Amino acid sequence: MSRNLESPVQTQMAVSVLDRALSTEYPTLSISESKVGRWKRLFVQTDTGCVLAVQLDRGDNVHTVKRKLQVALNFPTEESSLTLGDRVLKNDLSTIRNDSPLLLTKTFMHRSSSTPCMSPTGKDLQQQRDWGCPIELLVCPSRCSRTRQLVKDVARAIRKGVDPVPVNSGLGGAYYFRNSKGENAAIVKPNDEEPFAPNNPKGFIGKSLGQPGLKRSVRVGETGFREVAAYLLDHDNSANVPPTVLVKISHPVFHMNEGVDCSNKNVADGGTKVVSKIASFQQYIPHDFDASDYGTSSFPVSAVHRIGILDIRIFNTDRHAGNLLVRKQTGAGTFGNQTELIPIDHGLSLPECLEDPYFEWIHWPQASVPFSEDELEYIANLDPVKDADMLRMELPMIREACLRVLILSTIFLKEATAFGLCLAEIGEMMSREFTGMEDLPSDLEFVCMEAKRLATEQEDRSTEHDSGDENLTQFELDGEDHEMPKEPSTHQFEFKRGNSRNQLCRLDEADEEEEEEDGIEEVESDAGKLACPKPVNKWLANISKLSTSLKGVSLTDKTQRQLSSGPKIVNSVKTSKSSSNDHGSQLCNWGSANDMLPASVSFIKLADMGSETWGLFLEKFQELLPEAFHSRKSVTAQRAKARLGTSCQF
């Protein structure tokens, strides 16, 4: 008998792992079986955090996957969408990589008290169990051989009964998984236990996966992808990011909300309930302190620089001292208080739009030291387009809007260092200032706003010109000389007091609220629209040659700009001590996610530009940067003069 679909929805709901009855573990399918019957396997996660493993046959498509899910859920799935990042899958699954994590979202109804519950019963699942390996790699790049061995060690310890330890500090759920010796080996963060996620163990709940989270530009359930991305982007392990992979992991220790039973009872283990999760898996690094407990004067300049370089590239919105681990250097050849820095917690990086980053190292003296020749060479060799392509391949669930932020930030870093700016100056240009309770755009955002305006105007002129040519007749061309207006060779812009507000391009926050209510609309994928256009590769190859065509451009000091109207904007919350490697007391529970969400604003939106406009935008952006850098140098010189004072004048 089917359950009553009119019953009130539970606050959280979960689904047991769906799979065909397998007599062996997933990794040990026979060759004949894999060739004849089995094609690929996908992991489907509902927007409330439930993980389902679906084994596909050749010829299976989105519709057959939905039918399999409907059997387990006892709920119609025709009006739901299967998504991979910002791609809404229509039918074909041939291009989807094996073991990819997909998200199942409801698109036809409001999330209200009348929404049917998608929790299955034991009868619905017909005693289907997940007998797979405790840990399975979902994303393992070519350089993850060390992490692969670590995963095997942790899986072996799980089988021996070595239980993980929950981490008390931080806002999200995290767990220390140990090796067979009982030593901490890895830190695991399930994506459905993030702040505001459905199964958060510390009371910070109220959102579904895919909705705006702690930062509105980072969706709930997607911080783990960014942890992996930060490791992949740390070329040559320059910043010392610990090895990180994405896994599907099963263990009874994981948290599920009270009243939800989505676990599988493993009879062989005496009825222990096992919960499956999709999570980031990061190697645990033994350390002595974090940066908040240790004087910053002992930190090596090179370590601060390399971490800062990574933070700028990934537009880190949460680089505080609590997520910089400090390890003392000992042994022969070390003198004084030498330390090593290990950056962690990159889940709030690569936002979907520009907002206010947070770089605590801006105020450290090391950030004002000029870059070394090795560091300048490292920056010069960075290729943002190549990095974006790499992430598309390794992490297909990363949204294209995030990749645009990566490209923009890397270009900004390359141009700024070529101009001679130090790390602190670059960080200041990316950071916003606050006057009273008003949130003012950063220098970077002002340049982006003007570049977008110029790119849009140029594209509009080109469109009008093309349409005009089609309407002209041969008689008009031969019978009359038409004087075309001369296009100005330079563009002057100035953000003046009182009218700069009209030039700001704010995101419509009402759209975000509508998205929270209605879920993801089933539309065509924007991947092609957002992809970096081919012309960009041409000028990126010659990125060090700065355009000098805009001699008249004037960027005034940001402190002189004021917004004449609009709501007061409060600074985004900086998460306090979110480091999962630190021990601390558990914070108090909050019942509503909306009560905690900080008021945030975006002055420039990158994702709404088509590929041609995006290419023009990047060109205009590069042209405008030299004058912005000149202005920053002038501000720095004025500040230095103010510090010296005038007592020595004669």
Side-chain angles (χ1 to χ4, degrees), residues 125-430:
L125 293 177
Q126 299 178 351
Q127 302 299 321
Q128 294 173 1
R129 300 182 179 93
D130 179 19
W131 297 107
C133 180
I135 311 177
E136 299 178 66
L137 291 166
L138 301 185
V139 175
C140 185
S142 56
R143 59 181 180 136
C144 78
S145 56
R146 183 173 57 170
T147 312
R148 190 187 299 273
Q149 183 58 47
L150 180 64
V151 167
K152 292 180 180 179
D153 293 342
V154 172
R156 191 179 302 115
I158 292 175
R159 293 191 182 98
K160 289 182 178 180
V162 180
D163 292 330
V165 178
V167 179
N168 293 325
S169 60
L171 303 180
Y175 304 84
Y176 292 127
F177 275 73
R178 300 183 287 179
N179 57 25
S180 299
K181 298 179 181 178
E183 303 167 335
N184 289 341
I187 181 78
V188 173
K189 301 178 184 178
N191 70 337
D192 68 330
E193 298 187 26
E194 295 176 6
F196 303 151
N199 293 306
N200 181 275
K202 299 170 183 177
F204 305 110
I205 58 175
K207 294 285 185 178
S208 298
L209 298 183
Q211 290 185 306
L214 190 63
K215 299 275 186 178
R216 289 191 179 273
S217 56
V218 178
R219 300 173 190 249
V220 174
E222 298 186 4
T223 62
F225 308 153
R226 290 166 166 82
E227 296 266 16
V228 180
Y231 172 64
L232 295 175
L233 291 170
D234 186 21
H235 304 308
D236 303 325
N237 202 227
S238 173
N240 212 15
V241 177
T244 311
V245 293
L246 194 68
V247 299
K248 175 254 182 183
I249 185 167
S250 304
H251 199 278
V253 74
F254 291 129
H255 179 77
M256 297 302 299
N257 280 304
E258 189 176 348
V260 176
D261 185 11
C262 71
S263 56
N264 301 294
K265 289 186 178 180
N266 191 337
V267 180
D269 291 340
T272 303
K273 294 183 178 181
V274 177
V275 178
S276 295
K277 303 271 188 172
I278 292 175
S280 62
F281 182 99
Q282 185 175 84
Q283 180 181 352
Y284 175 81
I285 305 297
H287 56 281
D288 299 296
F289 314 96
D290 65 43
S292 64
D293 299 324
Y294 203 78
T296 60
S297 61
S298 64
F299 298 159
V301 173
S302 61
V304 174
H305 281 189
R306 292 179 182 274
I307 291 172
I309 290 170
L310 177 68
D311 285 342
I312 289 171
R313 292 171 59 207
I314 64 178
F315 207 92
N316 198 341
T317 65
D318 191 37
R319 173 61 72 211
H320 57 82
N323 55 38
L324 283 174
L325 306 182
V326 180
R327 184 163 58 185
K328 289 183 177 180
Q329 297 280 33
T330 58
T334 60
F335 301 94
N337 296 325
Q338 296 190 18
T339 57
E340 177 186 8
L341 295 180
I342 302 101
I344 59 170
D345 291 349
H346 298 100
L348 295 179
S349 59
L350 292 176
E352 293 185 36
C353 58
L354 298 186
E355 60 168 75
D356 191 26
Y358 185 71
F359 307 134
E360 186 154 329
W361 41 254
I362 279 185
H363 309 292
W364 297 354
Q366 295 92 329
S368 297
V369 177
F371 289 108
S372 67
E373 291 299 324
D374 290 341
E375 292 161 355
L376 291 174
E377 182 181 1
Y378 180 87
I379 295 171
N381 291 332
L382 293 173
D383 187 337
V385 176
K386 184 177 179 181
D387 286 341
D389 290 340
M390 179 270 294
L391 288 185
R392 289 189 189 99
M393 177 66 65
E394 299 287 357
L395 289 172
M397 66 289 297
I398 286 286
R399 300 178 184 270
E400 287 291 330
C402 306
L403 300 181
R404 287 194 169 183
V405 172
L406 170 67
I407 292 172
L408 183 75
S409 301
T410 306
I411 293 172
F412 184 72
L413 171 67
K414 292 170 71 72
E415 296 281 15
T417 53
F419 191 83
L421 269 61
C422 67
L423 180 62
E425 291 171 322
I426 298 172
E428 288 175 354
M429 291 190 69
M430 297 175 68

Side-chain angles (χ1 to χ4, degrees), residues 88 95 193 210 212 247 283 296-297 313 318 351 391 432 446 448 476 483 562 581 596 601 606-607 611 622 630:
V88 178
T95 60
E193 298 187 26
V247 299
Q283 180 181 352
T296 60
S297 61
R313 292 171 59 207
D318 191 37
L391 288 185
R432 295 176 181 175
F446 267 108
C448 287
E476 290 173 329
E483 253 187 60
Q562 294 188 9
N581 288 276
M596 289 183 59
V601 65
L606 304 179
S611 59
Q622 187 191 20
H630 276 296

